Amino acid sequence: MAEGLARAVAPPDYQFFSAGSQPGTLNPLAVRALAEQGIDISHHRSKGLDDVPLAEADVIVTLCAEEVCPFVPGAVQRLHWPLPDPTDLAGFRSARDELRRRLPALWLDQPKVR
């Protein structure tokens, strides 16, 4: 959900990749919560850390709240935005809205963060 939302609202020259420490399946409630705002993530899939180009990252944002956050080595800016794992549509909407509020900090407060 975070990747799809970021790609939809960020300036076009930014790239976003999302991965989980324990990837599962794409939750249909995440798809629905973003579809309510005209963002289609129905083609997305849950990915693990090995599935994204971590070496290209300028910033790593972790969203883990209750679970253990993965550690990614290297000299990279790290931000921690702990969000509870949503379990129902209201929770997905809340996470969506909080991400939408926080995401602009990645490009408004930075000279060039991809």
Side-chain angles (χ1 to χ4, degrees):
M1 192 165 79
E3 178 182 350
L5 181 59
R7 289 180 178 201
V9 301
D13 55 338
Y14 285 74
Q15 293 182 349
F16 295 90
F17 303 97
S18 177
S21 53
Q22 296 179 344
T25 58
L26 179 61
N27 191 308
L29 294 176
V31 175
R32 183 171 169 191
L34 286 184
E36 292 175 349
Q37 296 191 345
I39 301 168
D40 179 14
I41 62 166
S42 62
H43 60 284
H44 286 213
R45 66 177 180 84
S46 187
K47 299 176 290 296
L49 293 174
D50 291 338
D51 298 319
V52 297
L54 291 172
E56 297 176 24
D58 297 318
V59 177
I60 293 177
V61 179
T62 53
L63 303 176
C64 36
E66 296 93 15
E67 65 278 7
V68 175
C69 287
F71 174 74
V72 179
V76 62
Q77 180 182 357
R78 299 166 199 280
L79 300 173
H80 183 58
W81 299 345
L83 296 177
D85 262 348
T87 57
D88 58 13
L89 185 56
F92 278 94
R93 287 174 174 151
S94 178
R96 173 201 66 202
D97 295 346
E98 184 61 21
L99 287 168
R100 185 178 280 278
R101 185 186 73 75
R102 292 181 187 206
L103 280 167
L106 296 177
W107 52 89
L108 295 178
D109 296 342
Q110 306 294 327
K112 172 77 172 155
V113 176
R114 293 190 313 224

